[in-house]
């Protein structure tokens, strides 16, 4: 069975400082992993995805994530936070050959302090 | 706009009434998914279609819920005899079918249901 755990429900960082949103997963198969962002009153948008190619994945808006199989982690990072990054972030796991059904984490609310 | 669209965006209904939501996926996408999202939670999978075939249903989808995708294009999600616990955001997503690859799902803006 697959599952995903987002370790922090809220993260606050100052503008211009690094962002780290943590995600651990559990999967019986070779997982694909995603990060989605949800801004208030907007639809979910894909930030980046890992699909067994490079373990360091670059996404939109300066975000990146590193797949670490030994730690079963897929943490999301950004070197310098911007006010517009304030949103809800979801880590998602999907198992190949499992019809792409995906499991969302509970989300991490990112707050950017001026 | 060539994204996923959902209608209505908001629905307020009284307990016991039936409601129906519509989702129009991206036109070339074979797969269509329905999710439910409650406050403070991530979206929970409800069901998905490949073309017109409904391939999987979550145990969250009680008998009061039914989904259709009659022509393999748009889909409807109907909730009969609504309950207050049905209040949530209902999200639709679509994805292309590419064997062997993890397909990104494209999400619509959602329909927010409030059951009074």
């Amino acid at each position: 069975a697959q599952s995903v755990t987002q370790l922090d429900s809220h993260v606050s960082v100052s503008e211009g400082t690094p962002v780290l949103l943590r995600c651990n997963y559990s999967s019986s198969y070779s997982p694909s992993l995603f990060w989605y962002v949800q801004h208030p009153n907007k639809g979910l948008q894909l930030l980046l995805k890992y699909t067994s190619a490079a373990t360091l994945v670059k996404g939109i808006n300066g975000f990146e994530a590193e797949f670490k199989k030994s730690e079963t982690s897929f943490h999301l990072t950004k070197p310098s936070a911007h006010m517009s990054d304030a949103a809800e972030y979801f880590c998602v796991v999907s198992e190949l050959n499992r019809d792409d059904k995906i499991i969302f984490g509970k989300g991490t609310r990112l707050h950017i302090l001026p | 706009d060539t994204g996923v669209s959902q209608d209505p965006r908001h629905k307020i209904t009284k307990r016991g009434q039936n409601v129906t939501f519509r989702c129009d996926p991206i036109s070339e996408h074979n797969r269509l998914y329905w999710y439910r999202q409650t406050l403070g939670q991530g979206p929970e999978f409800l069901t998905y279609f490949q073309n017109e075939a409904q391939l999987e249903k979550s145990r969250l989808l009680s008998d009061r819920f039914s989904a259709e995708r009659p022509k393999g294009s748009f889909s409807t999600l109907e909730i009969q005899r609504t309950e207050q616990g049905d209040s949530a955001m209902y999200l639709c997503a679509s994805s292309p079918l590419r064997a062997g690859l993890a397909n990104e799902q494209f999400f619509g803006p959602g329909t927010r249901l409030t059951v009074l």
Side-chain angles (χ1 to χ4, degrees):
Chain A
Q2 55 183 334
S3 66
V4 60
T5 302
Q6 291 185 243
L7 297 158
D8 307 293
S9 58
H10 293 266
V11 169
S12 296
V13 301
S14 297
E15 190 174 21
T17 65
V19 175
L20 170 64
L21 305 183
R22 298 182 293 167
C23 172
N24 286 96
Y25 70 92
S26 172
S27 175
S28 303
Y29 299 88
S30 298
S32 292
L33 296 156
F34 306 78
W35 276 98
Y36 280 83
V37 60
Q38 188 174 37
H39 290 272
N41 301 315
K42 292 191 176 180
L44 285 153
Q45 181 184 19
L46 182 72
L47 278 178
L48 49 80
K49 66 179 180 181
Y50 165 77
T51 56
S52 76
T55 56
L56 182 62
V57 181
K58 294 188 183 298
I60 62 171
N61 301 334
F63 284 94
E64 60 183 39
E66 185 172 7
F67 173 71
K68 292 186 176 180
K69 187 174 181 179
S70 60
E71 299 176 9
T72 60
S73 69
F74 190 58
H75 301 333
L76 181 71
T77 60
K78 182 173 180 177
S80 176
H82 191 273
M83 293 300 291
S84 61
D85 294 329
E88 188 89 19
Y89 291 80
F90 294 97
C91 182
V92 177
V93 63
S94 170
E95 294 179 340
L96 289 177
N97 302 319
R98 295 278 291 179
D99 296 321
D100 289 342
K101 186 174 71 174
I102 65 175
I103 305 297
F104 281 77
K106 292 185 181 298
T108 298
R109 170 78 58 182
L110 177 62
H111 305 271
I112 310 296
L113 308 173
Chain B
D1 189 345
T2 56
V4 178
S5 62
Q6 293 186 246
D7 183 69
R9 295 291 303 275
H10 303 273
K11 179 70 176 179
I12 299 174
T13 191
K14 292 182 179 179
R15 188 176 53 187
Q17 298 294 306
N18 299 343
V19 294
T20 300
F21 310 141
R22 176 179 170 126
C23 171
D24 286 89
I26 293 171
S27 59
E28 63 269 25
H29 284 182
N30 304 92
R31 289 181 168 170
L32 186 148
Y33 303 78
W34 285 100
Y35 295 86
R36 181 173 67 189
Q37 185 178 21
T38 54
L39 198 63
Q41 300 294 318
E44 295 174 296
F45 169 80
L46 292 178
T47 187
Y48 94 98
F49 293 83
Q50 182 166 306
N51 301 314
E52 65 275 9
Q54 188 174 15
L55 295 187
E56 188 162 352
K57 293 193 291 186
S58 164
R59 56 186 168 79
L60 293 175
L61 212 67
S62 76
D63 291 344
R64 297 184 296 106
F65 287 69
S66 62
E68 294 182 342
R69 194 183 184 196
K71 297 181 181 178
S73 56
F74 72 91
S75 176
T76 58
L77 177 68
E78 180 183 16
I79 309 174
Q80 296 182 327
R81 305 181 302 281
T82 53
E83 301 172 356
Q84 288 184 325
D86 297 331
S87 296
M89 176 75 85
Y90 290 84
L91 297 169
C92 176
S94 70
S95 71
L97 177 59
R98 299 192 210 108
L101 295 176
N103 297 314
E104 172 189 354
Q105 295 188 15
F106 294 79
F107 283 83
T111 294
R112 183 169 295 283
L113 173 66
T114 302
V115 181
L116 302 176

